Amino acid sequence: MLDENHHLIQCIMDYQSKGKTAECTQYQQILHRNLVYLATIADSNQNMQALLPAVSIGTNINCTLLAQARDNR
């Protein structure tokens, strides 16, 4: 999704530099949707961290959790 957002920003910038601001709207809406989605995930993860007790987690478990979060996108 980060690559998609990068591409969307590039398209928006290209259209704006050419003075075609009307064409930007579609890309801005998609970018906005993606950013809201990412913010929602970050917020829910933060809320989960607040609810869970502090536990020392090994590196292998952290990598597994990160991989699972990445795959769920």
Side-chain angles (χ1 to χ4, degrees):
M1 182 173 284
L2 297 179
D3 289 335
E4 179 183 357
N5 289 348
H6 180 264
H7 178 71
L8 290 167
I9 291 169
Q10 289 296 321
C11 289
I12 292 166
M13 289 172 43
D14 288 344
Y15 279 124
Q16 286 178 339
S17 70
K18 295 174 185 174
K20 299 181 177 184
T21 55
E23 286 84 351
C24 295
T25 305
Q26 172 187 350
Y27 296 108
Q28 288 170 331
Q29 289 173 342
I30 296 168
L31 178 61
H32 179 264
R33 182 193 66 214
N34 289 352
L35 294 174
V36 168
Y37 174 75
L38 290 172
T40 302
I41 290 172
D43 189 45
S44 73
N45 284 342
Q46 193 120 30
N47 289 339
M48 287 301 293
Q49 291 295 328
L51 294 174
L52 297 174
V55 177
S56 175
I57 299 177
T59 304
N60 291 338
I61 294 173
N62 281 337
C63 291
T64 303
L65 293 174
L66 290 173
Q68 288 172 347
R70 183 191 67 233
D71 294 340
N72 287 333
R73 288 188 268 152

